[in-house]
Amino acid sequence: MGTAQVNGVTVHYDDTGGDGPAVLFSHGFLMDRSMFDRQVEALGGDYRCVRWDERGFGGTAATGEFSYWDSADDAVALLDHLEIDQAVFVGMSQGGFLSLRAALAHPDRVRAVVLIDSAADTDDEETLDGYRGMLHVFGNGTDEERAGVFQIVAGLILGDEQLAEEWIPKWQAIDPSQLTLAGGALLNRDDISDRAGEIRCPVLSIHGTDDQAIALERALALAATLPDHRGVIEVEGAAHAPNMTHPETVNPALRTFLDSL
């Protein structure tokens, strides 16, 4: 584990090192870098795998309001810190949000992008209202109310009882003020769908067929607008985090894509 001072925040990260091509893993909302354990185990022998905690989660504290454009800048600044010229950006959900923005703002630093259950558009108002309610309970609810919401969230993100037992205690330990700041980035993100054509690097999409947070149809719609899209891997029966629940499907697809670059 290491830390890097970037853009006014202290980013916590892991780096397998080595001479292989660099792959930067960016986690989803409420998650942290450990969600990519199975991918690093599978790829770390051949690729330089870097995973990091984004603002508000894991070991990286947000110091104020921020956007996913700021997170994209954080990711590139981390590459600078590690003296990595270019990396493949692998992002799950909000990790994909920032990866797409990095490809737009720093195209020379992004070798390729892998989107895991992510999108370029924004959520509808009903979904946003649900997220606002969730964040309100996180910050102001009773322990019982928070526990109930975390169970719902675990079903949406993980869809796996064993993983829920592992992650819910982590979520309960998050500082509510950090969730408020991270939630602002989620709720207020801009729609970059109309800029997808500017992303010229290769892109692979991996998506759970049972994802209720970001429907598969949204991934397919984005894929159709990306100039060098290399396919959508549909993970049958997976919810929002197929890299955790179905690594036996995700890891071979990820390796095949990386090996092709």
Side-chain angles (χ1 to χ4, degrees):
M1 184 185 75
T3 60
Q5 302 298 319
V6 303
N7 302 325
V9 297
T10 303
V11 168
H12 288 240
Y13 68 90
D14 295 321
D15 178 9
T16 61
D19 297 326
V23 182
L24 181 70
F25 293 91
S26 301
H27 63 77
F29 192 80
L30 285 177
M31 311 305 286
D32 60 42
R33 66 188 188 275
S34 69
M35 76 170 298
F36 292 110
D37 282 351
R38 298 293 295 274
Q39 284 67 57
V40 173
E41 290 172 6
L43 299 169
D46 299 306
Y47 291 90
R48 182 176 179 180
C49 296
V50 178
R51 48 185 176 160
W52 63 300
D53 291 336
E54 299 150 37
R55 298 190 196 196
F57 300 110
T60 303
T63 56
E65 294 182 356
F66 67 95
S67 72
Y68 290 128
W69 293 100
D70 296 319
S71 298
D73 290 342
D74 290 346
V76 172
L78 178 58
L79 296 184
D80 290 339
H81 173 80
L82 297 172
E83 299 182 344
I84 296 173
D85 292 333
Q86 197 175 55
V88 176
F89 280 55
V90 179
M92 178 266 176
S93 194
Q94 78 163 22
F97 303 159
L98 75 88
S99 296
L100 289 170
R101 286 162 176 79
L104 289 169
H106 308 278
D108 58 322
R109 308 302 296 279
V110 182
R111 173 68 184 87
V113 173
V114 179
L115 299 173
I116 301 176
D117 290 66
S118 195
D121 58 2
T122 54
D123 299 302
D124 58 43
E125 194 57 37
E126 181 180 356
T127 300
L128 290 173
D129 280 343
Y131 287 157
R132 292 186 189 103
M134 174 188 74
L135 290 168
H136 177 77
V137 172
F138 287 166
N140 304 283
T142 65
D143 290 344
E144 183 177 356
E145 289 171 334
R146 283 164 54 89
V149 171
F150 283 135
Q151 285 290 346
I152 294 171
V153 171
L156 287 173
I157 296 177
L158 304 170
D160 181 284
E161 291 184 6
Q162 185 174 346
L163 285 172
E165 291 179 1
E166 174 186 344
W167 280 89
I168 288 177
K170 292 186 179 184
W171 297 339
Q172 291 171 328
I174 298 175
D175 183 337
S177 66
Q178 291 292 303
L179 276 177
T180 297
L181 292 171
L186 177 69
L187 294 172
N188 299 318
R189 75 182 188 275
D190 52 335
D191 188 336
I192 58 171
S193 300
D194 61 347
R195 297 191 61 188
E198 299 174 37
I199 299 174
R200 314 302 298 186
C201 67
V203 181
L204 174 71
S205 298
I206 300 173
H207 213 97
T209 61
D210 291 354
D211 188 350
Q212 298 179 56
I214 297 178
L216 173 61
E217 288 72 22
R218 291 167 68 183
L220 295 171
L222 173 59
T225 65
L226 290 162
D228 191 6
H229 194 269
R230 303 287 179 91
V232 178
I233 306 299
E234 299 183 17
V235 185
E236 190 65 36
H240 194 49
N243 63 296
M244 298 178 71
T245 58
H246 294 69
E248 72 283 354
T249 300
V250 172
N251 289 351
L254 185 54
R255 176 175 285 279
T256 297
F257 177 70
L258 294 173
D259 289 348
S260 72
L261 299 175

